[in-house]
Amino acid sequence: GELLPEGVDCLSDALYAERECVPGPILELGMGTGKAALQLFLRLHRDAYGVELAPSRWALADAALQSLAKAVPSRFRYEAAGGSTARLLDLEFNTTCDIVCGSLLDTPASILASASAIVLEVCLPRE
């Protein structure tokens, strides 16, 4: 199933409400169209890193980042880094939302080690 906006709010409250600053990005594995990663990035003003295997879903997330940057250029800047990586910079809060099209198994160890939270939304085969 998909994590809906109300669920993302509950998740962010559970992870970060009334807690001292927890360093590190939020890592979303199996981000789909990137809605949860983007909501966490915007709501919490924290770095976010999303990974999606399906190119069609990643392309929708990429389009959303581009749209936001175009709509509010004074606050956001979009950067493409190759055909399967993109970044949205929040110039007001100095945070980034990175999205990658690829296997969650190829996520850099440094990202995994530094993550303050990992959100996993995938269906893995039983075999």
Side-chain angles (χ1 to χ4, degrees):
E2 181 178 343
L3 190 57
L4 299 174
E6 297 82 14
V8 175
D9 285 343
C10 289
L11 175 66
S12 64
D13 289 344
L15 292 172
Y16 299 106
E18 299 180 24
R19 295 178 67 190
E20 291 183 30
C21 183
V22 180
I26 298 166
L27 174 58
E28 185 181 16
L29 302 174
M31 70 169 196
T33 60
K35 290 184 281 186
L38 188 57
Q39 183 179 340
L40 290 165
F41 167 72
L42 294 171
R43 182 172 192 247
L44 299 173
H45 310 295
R46 301 181 64 89
D47 292 336
Y49 188 95
V51 179
E52 175 54 43
L53 182 61
S56 59
R57 290 177 187 237
W58 180 88
L60 292 171
D62 184 47
L65 297 188
Q66 290 181 52
S67 240
L68 186 54
K70 185 176 180 182
V72 191
S74 61
R75 179 169 171 192
F76 299 106
R77 184 173 71 230
Y78 172 84
E79 296 177 353
S84 62
T85 304
R87 170 177 279 183
L88 183 69
L89 293 96
D90 184 329
L91 305 172
E92 181 178 342
F93 292 96
N94 196 31
T95 53
T96 59
C97 180
D98 292 293
I99 60 169
V100 176
C101 184
S103 171
L104 63 91
L105 300 174
D106 295 328
T107 303
S110 61
I111 298 287
L112 292 168
S114 68
S116 61
I118 298 175
V119 179
L120 181 65
E121 298 179 73
V122 297
C123 295
L124 297 173
R126 292 186 177 167
E127 297 178 7

